[in-house]
Amino acid sequence: MKKHNFSAGPCILPQEVLKQASEAVLNFNDLNLSLIEVSHRSADFVKVMDQARSLVLELLDLENKGYSALFLGGGASLEFLMTPYNLMKENGSAAYLDTGAWSSKALKEAKLLGEVEVVASSKDKNYNYIPKNFSIPAGVDYLHLTSNNTIYGTQIKEFPKTDALLVCDMSSDIFSRKLDFTQFDLIYAGAQKNMGPAGTTLVVVKDDILGKTGRKIPSMLDYQIHISKDSMFNTPPVFPVYVSMLTLQWLKNMGGIDAIEKINIAKAELIYNEIDNNPLFEGAAVKQDRSNMNVTFLLKDESKKERFDQMWKDAGISGINGHRSVGGYRASIYNAMPIESIQVLVDIMHKL
Ligand SMILES: *Cc1c(COP(=O)(O)O)cnc(C)c1O
C-alpha cells in the first residue's frame, strides 16, 4: 500500500500524475519514444514547455499582465544568486527579511554583489514567527521575502506594501493559496515542494523590471536571455518540466488555486485543531504565523515518543520527523496530500 507521505521535499505528487509521468517515460505521446530520449526541440516537447509556462500564468492570474514564466535549472538556491544579478544595480542595495535558513542563504548570495540590509529577523526565537512592522529603507533595488518557511512552519499572511520591487521565494507554498500575484515583481520556486520533481525551478518575472542594472550578467544567469529563448536557452530539465506541467494541469482540472486553497485550509485546520486540543502536543510556530503547508509540532511528554513513533510507522506514515534545527515533528501537507492521510495522523495523535 502507498504510504501517507508527509515529506517536506521532494514531496508527494498526485498519484495520477505519477502514473501519467511513468507512462510517458516509456512511450511519450504515442511516439514510441521515451519523453527523456526525444529532442527538447521536437514539436512534442516544445508543446510541453509552452503549456507548462502558460498554465503557470493562467493559474496565478498573470496572463497578459507583462509577466514571463521560466523553468530553469539549478534549484531555488541558484535563484538566490540570479535575483541580485538581475535586479541589483551596480553599487546598489537590497533589503531582505530573514525568516529562516532559506532567507539567510538567499541574502548571503546577494552580499556577493552589493549592500544587503536585513530589515528584520526572527532568528532570536529560532524563526518561530514572522517579523512585522519593519521599515524598508528608501532606495533599495528590491525587497526579498520567503513566503513560507518550510523548516519552521511559518508563513507570511500579509505582504508589505513597498515602492521597491518585491521578490518572493515561494518554493514551499506556490499554487497553494489565493494571492494578488501582481504585487510581486519576481517569484521563484523550486519544483519539488508543491509542483513536481526536483531539478527545475519556476521563475515568474515582470518583464519591464529587467535589463536595468548596468551589470554584465553571465548568459545562464540572465533572465532576459532565458525569456528570449522561451526557457530553451540550453537543454531544459525535460522530465521535471513535464511532470510539473501534469501537476499544473491536475490543479487546473480541480478548479485551480481557488479550489485547492479551500481544501488546504480544511486540511490545516484538521491537524492544528488536534495539536491545540491535545495536551500531549504543542505547535512549534506562533499561531498567527502558522503555515498551511508545513505543520511543525512538538510532543510535550518525551516518555510517549517511542510509542507515538511506532504508531505512525505502523499506520504507514512517512516523513514526519522534524527538521534537525527544530526537532519534534513536521507534517508537510502540500497540495497533493489527501485529507484522509491527515486524518490517519490525527487519529493516532488522538489515541496516544
Ligand atoms: C527547499 C527550499 C529552497 C531550496 O531549494 P533547492 O531547489 O534545493 O535549491 C529554497 N527556499 C525554500 C523556501 C525552500 O523550501
Side-chain angles (χ1 to χ4, degrees):
M1 204 187 78
K2 172 89 184 184
K3 291 208 168 159
H4 304 288
N5 182 6
F6 288 87
S7 170
C11 74
I12 186 166
L13 291 170
Q15 200 59 25
E16 63 186 81
V17 164
L18 295 181
K19 186 160 174 292
Q20 282 173 281
S22 62
E23 282 162 5
V25 167
L26 293 174
N27 183 1
F28 172 47
N29 283 2
D30 287 323
L31 296 172
N32 292 316
L33 291 165
S34 169
L35 165 75
I36 56 174
E37 61 179 12
V38 297
S39 169
H40 59 291
R41 310 259 176 226
S42 65
D44 285 80
F45 187 78
V46 168
K47 226 167 110 185
V48 169
M49 178 62 96
D50 288 348
Q51 214 173 340
R53 294 173 64 211
S54 66
L55 278 166
V56 167
L57 297 181
E58 185 185 339
L59 287 163
L60 300 178
D61 199 13
L62 288 176
E63 280 174 309
N64 305 315
K65 291 181 181 163
Y67 287 81
S68 295
L70 300 169
F71 283 90
L72 305 179
S77 298
L78 188 60
E79 300 316 308
F80 299 162
L81 179 64
M82 281 178 82
T83 300
Y85 246 119
N86 285 269
L87 301 183
M88 205 191 255
K89 297 197 173 68
E90 286 278 18
N91 305 313
S93 65
Y96 278 69
L97 180 64
D98 177 26
T99 52
W102 297 119
S103 320
S104 308
K105 285 183 174 159
L107 71 90
K108 179 171 171 230
E109 301 303 299
K111 279 182 179 166
L112 295 172
L113 300 186
E115 195 79 30
V116 169
E117 304 248 11
V118 179
V119 291
S121 171
S122 47
K123 196 172 181 184
D124 57 334
K125 300 243 168 76
N126 197 27
Y127 298 116
N128 74 350
Y129 71 102
I130 301 286
K132 294 165 197 81
N133 303 319
F134 49 83
S135 56
I136 301 154
V140 291
D141 295 322
Y142 63 88
L143 169 67
H144 180 283
L145 306 171
T146 309
S147 57
N148 186 73
N149 298 282
T150 325
I151 295 173
Y152 316 90
T154 62
Q155 189 172 34
I156 298 179
K157 308 289 176 182
E158 249 182 79
F159 291 86
K161 302 257 176 293
T162 167
D163 293 333
L165 300 179
L166 193 56
V167 175
C168 195
D169 175 359
M170 293 195 188
S171 292
S172 50
D173 68 352
I174 187 122
F175 302 117
S176 72
R177 57 172 169 166
K178 252 187 319 190
L179 291 173
D180 173 10
F181 291 97
T182 63
Q183 68 189 302
F184 304 100
D185 297 284
L186 191 149
I187 296 165
Y188 61 87
Q192 71 273 18
K193 306 269 167 54
N194 217 4
M195 187 169 52
T200 191
T201 309
L202 171 64
V203 174
V204 179
V205 58
K206 207 169 183 179
D207 300 321
D208 67 8
I209 67 169
L210 298 173
K212 297 187 171 164
T213 60
R215 214 180 261 292
K216 282 203 172 70
I217 307 176
S219 307
M220 274 296 282
L221 303 185
D222 188 338
Y223 291 130
Q224 283 187 314
I225 287 187
H226 289 290
I227 292 169
S228 72
K229 302 292 181 188
D230 294 331
S231 232
M232 297 263 205
F233 171 67
N234 71 319
T235 316
V238 292
F239 183 73
V241 171
Y242 181 70
V243 182
S244 298
M245 186 277 284
L246 294 177
T247 310
L248 296 171
Q249 191 71 59
W250 166 85
L251 180 57
K252 181 182 166 178
N253 292 345
M254 74 182 323
I257 294 182
D258 284 8
I260 203 84
E261 180 183 47
K262 291 195 184 85
I263 299 170
N264 286 335
I265 289 171
K267 282 155 54 180
E269 277 177 358
L270 177 61
I271 183 160
Y272 282 123
N273 276 339
E274 182 60 31
I275 290 168
D276 291 340
N277 293 318
N278 186 329
L280 291 174
F281 293 97
E282 64 183 335
V286 307
K287 275 190 189 172
Q288 58 174 333
D289 300 328
R290 280 173 166 176
S291 166
N292 281 357
M293 293 281 103
N294 309 97
V295 178
T296 50
F297 58 101
L298 307 164
L299 181 59
K300 287 200 271 188
D301 181 351
E302 272 297 304
S303 73
K304 301 238 181 207
K305 182 171 164 37
E306 206 174 321
R307 182 172 138 82
F308 181 54
D309 289 351
Q310 195 58 50
M311 282 169 79
W312 59 256
K313 277 176 201 151
D314 289 347
I317 284 172
S318 157
I320 66 161
N321 282 317
H323 189 272
R324 61 191 176 281
S325 63
V326 178
Y329 300 91
R330 171 174 52 172
S332 297
I333 54 174
Y334 298 114
N335 284 353
M337 165 66 67
I339 196 160
E340 291 78 14
S341 290
I342 300 168
Q343 189 65 56
V344 170
L345 175 58
V346 164
D347 288 345
I348 288 169
M349 292 167 76
H350 205 72
K351 260 193 257 162
L352 183 67

